[in-house]
């Protein structure tokens, strides 16, 4: 098997795991492209991406262009003479860049394409109550997540698993799939295939703050799936009133029960022993929450913070 020269494009922890797997394989990472360092937090401390941190620790050449079409950057990348580019959790790439290597540029996507094209495939798989998902490597073209498939691997989603837990499992499985893809390209043993045409594909659009509000007028299981699909990030929320003050309440974990009732969905019943919110066809018991301005905590600790529950209601 020929050792391929690889340039890796990625940013977060999900991508770092794939970079690490390639670095430990028989293939050679000749360059790493990631985002520019950013100032964040109260002290505006400069933070590096997880991918850059790994690259620096392992003496891999790092490039952080502001623009991917920059002529100087393109010339530098071209001189590295890579066989293939690997992309994991990175931004859109221009054609002049992804067509540069002889073997092409492939991407790792955390779904079984063509389902869940877009920015948040893991979240939406859980939100929609899927029983399985997976990872796909595919050649990049000018359309988002629509290139020819190289390899796919399936994984089951457990009924109580949240998006963060699934993310971590897919991160490890995806890294293995990236190396298998490189091995297959090296041996010329992979037959790329067009993605199936689906009349109504399941999408995974970018999630914004307004998308994370819990809709209590839905079925209890739908609410449960939504909350675990948003957990731990970006986290779903509702609003409650404590006296005259409205507060955001993030909910990370809980259980649901389906039962007939005559309550208005969104009605809150709370005392020192229990905390339940009624849905369309049952109710939901939060187990881990975070009140605006407070730390994440168990519902037991949340309830212990109040002496009187008469002044608490849904906003």
């Amino acid at each position: 098997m020929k050792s391929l020269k690889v340039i890796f494009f990625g940013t977060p922890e999900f991508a770092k795991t794939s970079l690490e797997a390639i670095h430990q394989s028989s293939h050679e990472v000749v360059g790493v492209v990631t985002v520019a360092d950013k100032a964040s937090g109260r002290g505006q401390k400069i933070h590096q991406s997880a991918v850059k941190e790994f690259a620096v620790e392992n003496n891999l050449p790092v490039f952080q262009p502001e623009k991917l079409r920059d002529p100087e950057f393109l010339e530098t990348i071209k001189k590295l003479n890579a066989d293939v580019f690997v992309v994991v959790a990175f931004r859109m790439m221009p054609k002049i860049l992804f067509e540069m290597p002889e073997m092409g540029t492939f991407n790792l996507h955390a779904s079984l394409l063509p389902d869940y094209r877009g920015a948040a495939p893991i979240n939406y798989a859980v939100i929609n109550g899927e029983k399985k998902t997976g990872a796909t490597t595919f050649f990049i073209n000018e359309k988002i997540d629509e290139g020819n498939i190289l390899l796919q691997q399936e994984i089951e989603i457990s009924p109580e698993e949240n998006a963060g837990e699934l993310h971590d499992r897919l991160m490890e499985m995806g890294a293995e799939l990236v190396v298998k893809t490189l091995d297959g390209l090296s041996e010329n043993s992979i037959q790329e295939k067009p993605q199936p045409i689906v009349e109504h594909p399941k999408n995974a659009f970018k999630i914004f703050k307004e998308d994370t509000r819990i809709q209590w007028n839905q079925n209890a299981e739908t609410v449960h799936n939504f909350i675990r699909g948003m957990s731990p990030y970006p986290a779903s929320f509702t609003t409650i009133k404590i006296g005259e003050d409205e507060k955001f309440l993030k909910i990370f974990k809980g259980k649901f029960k389906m039962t007939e009732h005559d309550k208005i969905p969104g009605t809150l019943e709370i005392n020192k022993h229990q905390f339940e919110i009624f849905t369309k066809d049952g109710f939901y018991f939060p187990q881990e929450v975070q009140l605006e301005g407070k730390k994440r905590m168990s519902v037991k600790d949340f309830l212990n913070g109040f002496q009187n529950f008469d002044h608490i209601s849904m906003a």
Side-chain angles (χ1 to χ4, degrees):
M1 182 176 66
K2 176 189 173 185
S3 175
L4 299 181
K5 294 170 70 176
V6 179
I7 296 179
F8 185 86
F9 296 75
T11 300
E13 191 73 21
F14 190 92
K16 188 211 82 171
T17 304
S18 289
L19 174 59
E20 184 176 5
I22 299 170
H23 185 57
Q24 293 174 350
S25 74
S26 62
H27 306 289
E28 180 187 4
V29 179
V30 297
V32 175
V33 183
T34 190
V35 295
D37 301 343
K38 293 181 180 178
S40 63
R42 290 182 180 177
Q44 289 295 286
K45 184 179 177 181
I46 300 298
H47 289 274
Q48 301 175 344
S49 72
V51 161
K52 181 181 177 180
E53 287 179 353
F54 179 85
V56 171
E57 288 170 4
N58 291 275
N59 299 312
L60 300 174
V62 180
F63 306 94
Q64 297 173 279
E66 287 189 15
K67 296 181 179 180
L68 296 177
R69 295 179 183 272
D70 179 78
E72 187 177 338
F73 165 69
L74 291 172
E75 186 61 29
T76 301
I77 293 299
K78 190 173 183 179
K79 286 180 179 178
L80 293 174
N81 198 30
D83 297 302
V84 64
F85 293 171
V86 177
V87 182
V88 183
F90 195 64
R91 61 187 194 257
M92 285 279 292
M93 291 177 65
K95 187 175 182 179
I96 192 172
L97 183 59
F98 70 69
E99 286 191 342
M100 192 178 290
E102 183 179 344
M103 288 186 170
T105 299
F106 75 83
N107 184 74
L108 171 69
H109 190 73
S111 79
L112 297 173
L113 291 173
D115 281 340
Y116 298 112
R117 293 171 177 149
I122 299 173
N123 300 91
Y124 278 99
V126 179
I127 288 168
N128 291 338
E130 299 287 2
K131 301 294 188 291
K132 65 178 183 180
T133 185
T136 304
T137 53
F138 67 97
F139 278 129
I140 286 180
N141 61 18
E142 291 176 279
K143 296 181 179 180
I144 298 175
D145 300 335
E146 293 189 26
N148 286 352
I149 290 172
L150 294 165
L151 294 177
Q152 285 190 319
Q153 189 168 337
E154 191 176 291
I155 194 170
E156 291 187 359
I157 305 174
S158 70
E160 299 302 320
E161 189 169 23
N162 68 29
E165 293 162 344
L166 180 59
H167 167 281
D168 291 350
R169 292 203 296 134
L170 283 169
M171 180 171 68
E172 298 295 335
M173 190 184 84
E176 294 176 5
L177 196 65
V178 164
V179 174
K180 285 181 184 177
T181 303
L182 288 170
D183 292 347
L185 291 174
S186 173
E187 297 168 342
N188 198 27
S189 61
I190 297 178
Q191 186 70 43
E192 63 177 288
K193 56 184 179 182
Q195 293 188 30
I197 297 172
V198 180
E199 188 174 351
H200 301 291
K202 300 170 183 176
N203 293 308
F205 302 115
K206 185 175 181 179
I207 297 171
F208 296 95
K209 173 67 176 178
E210 58 267 27
D211 302 321
T212 63
R213 181 184 287 273
I214 302 165
Q215 304 298 324
W216 296 109
N217 59 350
Q218 296 180 321
N219 295 331
E221 186 174 11
T222 300
V223 169
H224 176 66
N225 290 341
F226 181 80
I227 290 169
R228 66 190 184 95
M230 292 288 184
S231 180
Y233 183 82
S236 59
F237 78 97
T238 191
T239 48
I240 63 173
K241 285 189 74 173
I242 301 175
E244 296 301 315
D245 296 330
E246 281 194 14
K247 297 277 190 180
F248 291 123
L249 182 72
K250 291 181 178 179
I251 303 178
F252 297 93
K253 183 180 179 181
K255 292 187 178 296
F256 72 95
K257 184 176 181 180
M258 295 173 63
T259 184
E260 291 185 8
H261 62 78
D262 58 1
K263 303 285 186 179
I264 298 171
T267 300
L268 169 67
E269 290 195 356
I270 182 171
N271 57 49
K272 65 179 181 179
H273 300 296
Q274 66 181 18
F275 178 10
E276 60 189 38
I277 304 169
F278 286 89
T279 67
K280 181 180 178 181
D281 62 352
F283 45 83
Y284 184 84
F285 300 98
Q287 292 178 312
E288 290 184 19
V289 299
Q290 183 177 7
L291 187 64
E292 184 179 345
K294 302 288 186 180
K295 294 181 179 179
R296 179 173 171 175
M297 65 184 72
S298 69
V299 160
K300 181 180 178 182
D301 289 339
F302 173 77
L303 295 175
N304 286 341
F306 296 96
Q307 293 181 336
N308 179 14
F309 298 98
D310 293 340
H311 63 306
I312 301 175
S313 62
M314 296 293 281

